[in-house]
Amino acid sequence: KAGEITYRCLGGLTYEITVTTYTNTLNTTADRCELTVYFGDGDSAVFVRENGNIGTCPSPAVMGEPVIGFANTKYNRYRGTHTYNGPGSYNIEVEDPNRNAGIDNIPSSVNVPFFIRTTLVINTFVGCNSSPILLNPPLDVGCANKCYYHNPGAFDPDGDSLSYAFGICLTAGGKNVTGYTLPPTGNPNVLKIDPATGDVTWCVPPKQGKFNLAIYITQWKKWGNTYINMGVVERDMQIDILDNCTNDPPVLQVRDTCVDAGTLLVMTVKATDTDTNDIITITASGGAFTNVNNPKATFNSTPSKTPATGTLNWQTDCAHIRRQPYYVSFKAKDNNSNIPLIDFKTIGITIIAPAPLNFTAKAQCTSMILNWDKALCNPSNNPVVQYNIYRKVGCDPWVPGKCEPGVPSNLGYTLIKTVIGYNNNTYTDDNGGSGLVHGVDYSYHVTAVYKDGAESYASAEVCAKLVRDVPIITNVSVASTSATTGTMDIKWLKPLATTGNLDTIAFPGPYQFRLYRSSGFFNAATNIQTFSSPFFGMLNTVSYTDVNLNTQDNPYVYRIEFYSNNNKICKTQDASSIYLSITPADNKLKLTWEEHVPWSNYMYYIYRETFAGSTVFFLLDSATTQTYTDDSLKNGATYCYYVMSKGQYSDVTLPRPLINLSEIKCGVPEDKEPPCQPTFYVGTDCYITENTLVWNNPNRTCADDAIKYNVYFSPTTNGDLSLIYTTTNMSDTVLKHGLTDPLSIAGCYAVTAVDSFGNESPIVSKICVDNCPEYVLPNVFSPDGDGTNEFFIPLLPYRYIKDVDITIYDRWGLVMFHTTDPMVNWDGRNQDTKKRCPDGVYYYICTVNEIRVAGITPRVLKGFVQVFNGKGAKGGN
């Protein structure tokens, strides 16, 4: 009636394999004492049944273990071990000839052997792995026109993910059963299996009968960020659908839940029935009751009339933590005297690890030192492997909700670090080496992550910001522009020797500010100046003018390092100057600028020199982005600019606004923008061998100084375009192109426009036209000497043909004539003997090489021609 194969890893490459079958006792031979199990590696073994009235096996055969509540049904269990030679994928299989008769969706089922298969995957990287265990027996009875429910109750002892799907029942040799179909459905036409929970819903069986389902349960193990297929268990089960049911099934009321590891879960399950006199029995199954570390869940329910209730109790602990929910299947069954019916509901119970405690953040320089207590739960079966650190800008009042492990991505947090190892419970956040920013509030959470990928609740939020124990750069501004004697002004704020900031006792003098510089925007590396004092109060230098620089062609970046007693306490973030670039265009200049600073610039002011060489600049405009276009300029004239930025730190106690200048940059507007390509059309005329091009004048749409048109042509699609026509008459937008080769009008065209500065349109599009070849051979000619129709030639005129390759055969396949001349000109004689060919039908194969835009393209003609020469079969000279 039903069966499946499961396995358990005993260590290394050795597995305990269990075969389970359910048989009809009306045929005692199906309750075999022995079954042959094939391991998928070329080896097999005989497993002896270990349950029921074993007696003296294998002869005589005796019955298995009766199944309570299911008449004429026995349960048989066979178990053994096998050791494989190495990693791989193995099909464990069992075949039995005694499939039940009368199965509606398996034609001639009594003659179709019963066959079950389980795929075992051995992966040495993953390690020892066991299959899911199917806790619910495949035994239920349904009613025609009543919904039927089932769940295999699969539980994975390794906590792996499971997915479910219907498949095809198997027969001898592991082949698909011929003619197998899924059981039929009535209204509302539903037969489905939930791919996540395994709940089977059949609404509704339209008739009574016996039906078989194959349920395939695939095991997925998470390995890094991917899931690996670790095997498939197939359950082949028989469903008995009865008729004349006046009963309605009970209805369960229960839903998914979660619980903090270490707390007691108490869940009430309720079932109701419209048949109020029926007694409802609620049972529960799943790994939480049998296959988890102690303590296990319990379920208590007393059969009663509607509403019936039951209570699930589970004192959870750290050993129960895992990423996947524990799936629990509840079954409500009535005792209706007509036919007892059931309802199945499967829920997930997720055990979530508690959050790390005592999470703190302490600012130091441009870093934040984070500390937390090691995770409260670190079970040996699923240990903590890392901690995840999350950060966002701004304080955030978010508190994790029930059933909300980790940190949701929609809150704006970024995972900034995974700290590997249970005992590593500290991390210094320096923003990847670039340093955090003063005046910004940073919000942090930490979570514990377990071996199977489960993540704990997030810790309580810590919100902190940097303190004034480090110099803070406020200005990097170009004071003068020169290729050799340029100057830069650098300013900074010194640390505050006050409570909560710089501890001068912990960091005694002497003190130093060391100023570093590099050209570019990043990584100030060269120490250019050092400022020293034995006492912090006397270290008052907070600005510096850097000289003899090439500010004309380079930006510069600066950093300050702060030393106490020759030991570096910390450093500022890098801050660069503004560097302006100018791109000339037609009557305009495009200004762009770049800078990398720890503060935020919120406004830029663009200054332009009144005229070249005046050294007097006026405010031209402002912008909030780092680009600006100055248009309505004169081509060829020189214009000079600089940009002033206005910015600030988030900390309102710091000076604001911060004003910095770029270098002075000059540019000359120049028309480098070509006109757009004219839109155009090509008309063809196959008969006069001429193409006509018509295009638009771009000065009416996208240009203002186009002065010339160029027309390009290529005879083939992939050939290079060559210039064939030029005109400066902008009103002349038509060209009739008669090709120099009269045999073809095929080709590709492009039209461009050229402006007064010589800028030519890019060829964005081209138009290709093709020939319309014609070549037709007649089916009769008469080389009889009367001067009419003396030669086998094509119908004239033929067009756009390069050449042909034609061979003419007699009816015995002998070659009479061959040529490559498109005119053919066969005179009806044998080309070798020069004798006239007898009257009759002759066959030809002709390859016609057509001139096309894609190149020479062959086309094969096959046909016949009838010869009438008046000479009969005698031939002649």
Side-chain angles (χ1 to χ4, degrees), residues 45-46 85 91 128 149 184 272 328 410 439 495 538 574 666 720 768 794 858:
V46 174
N85 291 324
N91 288 329
C128 205
Y149 303 98
T272 58
V328 175
N410 61 355
M538 298 177 62
D574 285 357
C666 300
D720 294 332
C768 297

Side-chain angles (χ1 to χ4, degrees), residues 9 58 80 142 144 153 180 225 238 274 276 287 395 398 499 547 596 641 650 667 726 731 831 852:
C9 182
Y180 174 84
N225 293 322
Q238 181 182 305
T274 57
T276 57
C395 295
W398 173 73
T499 303
V547 299
H596 292 271
Y641 305 82
S650 299
T726 294
S731 62
Q831 196 173 45
R852 294 280 192 174

Side-chain angles (χ1 to χ4, degrees), residues 95-99 109-115 170-172 177:
E95 182 176 325
D96 191 293
N98 293 97
R99 187 184 286 274
S109 61
V110 71
N111 298 315
V112 178
F114 182 83
F115 189 100
L170 304 178
T171 186
V177 170

Side-chain angles (χ1 to χ4, degrees), residues 332-347:
K333 181 178 182 180
D334 64 27
N335 70 335
N336 191 278
S337 58
N338 179 255
I339 295 176
L341 294 179
I342 66 166
D343 186 26
F344 254 111
K345 287 288 188 302
T346 301
I347 66 163

Side-chain angles (χ1 to χ4, degrees), residues 671-691:
D671 186 359
K672 292 185 177 181
E673 297 181 6
C676 64
Q677 184 183 12
T679 57
F680 66 103
Y681 164 80
V682 181
T684 65
D685 191 326
C686 290
Y687 296 96
I688 63 174
T689 318
E690 185 176 76
N691 295 326

Side-chain angles (χ1 to χ4, degrees), residues 7 19 28 82 139 143 157 171 194 293 335 351 445 763 835:
Y7 56 84
V19 181
T28 59
H82 182 69
L139 301 173
C143 279
T171 186
D194 189 309
N293 296 299
N335 70 335
I351 311 298
H445 288 279
I763 297 177
K835 292 183 178 182

Side-chain angles (χ1 to χ4, degrees), residues 47-238:
F47 284 11
V48 177
R49 191 181 66 228
E50 64 178 20
N51 70 320
N53 182 16
I54 297 175
T56 56
C57 281
S59 178
V62 292
M63 304 294 283
E65 183 178 331
V67 180
I68 299 174
F70 294 90
N72 303 322
T73 302
K74 291 294 179 70
Y75 159 59
N76 303 273
R77 185 176 65 248
Y78 309 83
R79 203 189 314 262
T81 61
H82 182 69
T83 300
Y84 289 88
N85 291 324
S89 179
Y90 303 97
N91 288 329
I92 308 170
E93 299 172 336
V94 168
E95 182 176 325
D96 191 293
N98 293 97
R99 187 184 286 274
N100 284 356
I103 298 173
D104 288 44
N105 62 329
I106 296 181
S108 303
S109 61
V110 71
N111 298 315
V112 178
F114 182 83
F115 189 100
I116 49 177
R117 169 189 293 152
T118 282
T119 301
L120 161 67
V121 175
I122 301 177
N123 186 322
T124 54
F125 293 102
V126 172
C128 205
N129 182 71
S130 300
S131 76
I133 303 164
L134 279 56
L135 300 174
N136 291 335
L139 301 173
D140 279 316
V141 176
C143 279
N145 301 310
K146 304 285 185 180
C147 288
Y148 166 84
Y149 303 98
H150 174 74
N151 187 288
F155 172 79
D156 191 276
D158 301 321
D160 296 329
S161 298
L162 303 177
S163 63
Y164 303 81
F166 289 140
I168 298 176
C169 292
L170 304 178
T171 186
K175 298 179 181 178
N176 293 339
V177 170
T178 302
Y180 174 84
T181 59
L182 285 173
T185 60
N187 185 26
N189 304 317
V190 173
L191 174 59
K192 64 181 181 180
I193 186 167
D194 189 309
T197 67
D199 282 346
V200 175
T201 303
W202 185 5
C203 285
V204 290
K207 63 177 183 177
Q208 70 176 27
K210 297 178 181 179
F211 303 92
N212 269 58
L213 278 179
I215 299 175
Y216 288 81
I217 305 166
T218 304
Q219 182 185 34
W220 304 91
K221 187 176 291 292
K222 189 172 184 182
W223 184 255
N225 293 322
T226 62
Y227 286 87
I228 301 173
N229 186 331
M230 293 302 298
V232 181
V233 173
E234 177 215 1
R235 162 170 279 189
D236 189 328
M237 64 178 291
Q238 181 182 305

